[in-house]
Amino acid sequence: MAFVTRQFVRSMASSSSATGPAASAKKILIKHVTVIGGGLMGAGVTQVAASTGHMVVLVDQSDEILAKSKKGIQENLQRVAKKKFAENPQAGDEFIKKSMSNISLSTDAASVVHSTDLVIEAIVENLKLKNELFQRLDKFAAEHTIFTSNTSSLQITDLANSTTRQDRFGGLHFFNPVPMMKLVEDSPGFIVNRLLVPYLMEAIRMHERGDASKEDIDIAMKMGAGYPMGPFELLDYVGLDTTKFIMDGWHKMDSKNPLFQPSQVLDKLVEEKKFGRKTGSGFYKYK
């Protein structure tokens, strides 16, 4: 996390003029981070940032969501500590205690961004909602504060234009689960999702056409391609609502592209609030 943010600041500063807010970005050491969104992705980013010594404020709409996120972070840190400090349990306990002490919670993003160095947005994949959030935060954040989005499909320029800090705005697309995945995309293209999402959608279309059952498709890809999860298992893990938001956005940009066509099955599941693992039901059911 520290490496990513320092590299990110340097790359932004070097691509800008030598004067103004961008120039001061060269001198910024990211100490205070605000993460907007307490879902799996936001909680994962918070965990990584806190465990690498950053002070982090995790923001979401309700205390209930935040309490659930914090509980999940602590449980994940316990698993990390058990493995990382197997020979020294006391050091593991200190690691957990220190990491958790770096995390605070808030339901009011505007009240905390005034003192943050880096904002990482990880809310629902919806351009309108993200723009409304960034536009509001832009009024309260300090001049040096860098805004980033964890978007996996939206154009960063479209998000940056909702603010007055285009030279301090970028993409930080983490992968889930954040503490386990080493890749962070901070350049245009979103290579992984551009390849992955059409693959997931084609699996749905195969199922829709009756070519194969979802179970057989998952087994085939795990046994034949060596993937750790089949496409339907991965869809449920990522969230069907997230996949639909991505496809809806791509379809709007290029409605004639056969890879970006919507799916009735996916649309129906999302309409029924069956988003996958996080709601207990998606293509599969979960206890």
Side-chain angles (χ1 to χ4, degrees):
M1 176 72 182
F3 171 77
V4 169
T5 53
R6 285 197 293 270
Q7 287 292 98
F8 178 66
V9 170
R10 282 201 292 267
S11 66
M12 288 185 66
S14 63
S15 65
S16 306
S17 62
T19 60
S24 64
K26 289 183 178 180
K27 304 175 183 178
I28 295 174
L29 177 63
I30 303 297
K31 295 180 179 180
H32 297 274
V33 179
T34 298
V35 179
I36 314 292
L40 285 174
M41 193 66 73
V45 173
T46 299
Q47 176 184 328
V48 172
S51 65
T52 51
H54 298 80
M55 300 300 296
V56 190
V57 180
L58 178 59
V59 180
D60 211 304
Q61 295 177 328
S62 73
D63 292 329
E64 291 76 17
I65 294 174
L66 290 169
K68 182 179 179 181
S69 300
K70 188 173 182 180
K71 181 174 182 291
I73 291 170
Q74 183 159 7
E75 291 173 350
N76 288 336
L77 285 170
Q78 288 170 346
R79 284 191 285 269
V80 171
K82 186 175 181 181
K83 183 178 180 179
K84 187 176 181 179
F85 300 97
E87 304 299 323
N88 190 349
Q90 185 175 352
D93 291 341
E94 286 297 318
F95 167 75
I96 296 169
K97 183 178 178 181
K98 175 61 177 174
S99 298
M100 292 303 297
S101 70
N102 287 338
I103 300 172
S104 57
L105 309 175
S106 177
T107 56
D108 185 1
S111 69
V112 299
V113 294
H114 64 88
S115 60
T116 196
D117 301 313
L118 176 68
V119 172
I120 303 175
E121 169 271 312
I123 66 171
V124 66
E125 195 76 342
N126 182 290
L127 179 62
K128 182 175 182 292
L129 293 178
K130 289 178 187 288
N131 277 342
E132 288 175 352
L133 172 67
F134 282 125
Q135 188 175 36
R136 184 164 68 93
L137 297 185
D138 192 40
K139 299 174 183 178
F140 296 94
E143 186 180 32
H144 78 274
T145 302
I146 298 167
F147 282 10
T148 67
S149 175
N150 184 59
T151 181
S152 58
S153 64
L154 301 174
Q155 293 292 324
I156 296 300
T157 301
D158 292 340
L159 296 171
N161 285 341
S162 66
T163 75
T164 59
R165 59 186 75 220
Q166 288 88 347
D167 59 340
R168 288 149 288 151
F169 200 113
L172 281 181
H173 178 217
F174 294 84
F175 288 81
N176 198 22
V178 178
M180 302 284 291
M181 303 295 282
K182 297 180 180 180
L183 178 63
V184 177
E185 292 181 308
D186 61 355
S187 61
F190 301 114
I191 296 169
V192 173
N193 270 17
R194 183 60 181 81
L195 295 172
L196 177 63
V197 175
Y199 152 72
L200 296 176
M201 292 302 296
E202 185 56 26
I204 296 174
R205 294 184 188 106
M206 287 184 69
H207 178 49
E208 285 179 323
R209 292 192 301 263
D211 296 347
S213 69
K214 59 181 182 293
E215 292 83 3
D216 285 346
I217 294 172
D218 277 350
I219 291 171
M221 293 309 296
K222 287 188 288 186
M223 296 184 67
Y227 290 2
M229 301 175 74
F232 291 96
E233 293 171 325
L234 184 55
L235 280 159
D236 277 355
Y237 185 79
V238 170
L240 304 188
D241 54 333
T242 299
T243 303
K244 175 174 163 52
F245 276 126
I246 292 172
M247 287 309 300
D248 287 350
W250 287 355
H251 180 68
K252 184 177 181 180
M253 288 188 295
D254 187 2
S255 61
K256 295 182 179 180
N257 191 324
L259 296 176
F260 299 163
Q261 299 308 304
S263 159
Q264 290 184 356
V265 170
L266 179 63
D267 290 349
K268 185 174 185 294
L269 287 170
V270 172
E271 184 180 354
E272 295 172 349
K273 306 297 183 185
K274 296 177 180 179
F275 300 156
R277 284 183 174 271
K278 59 187 174 184
T279 58
S281 179
F283 280 105
Y284 296 108
K285 292 185 178 180
Y286 305 88
K287 295 182 179 178

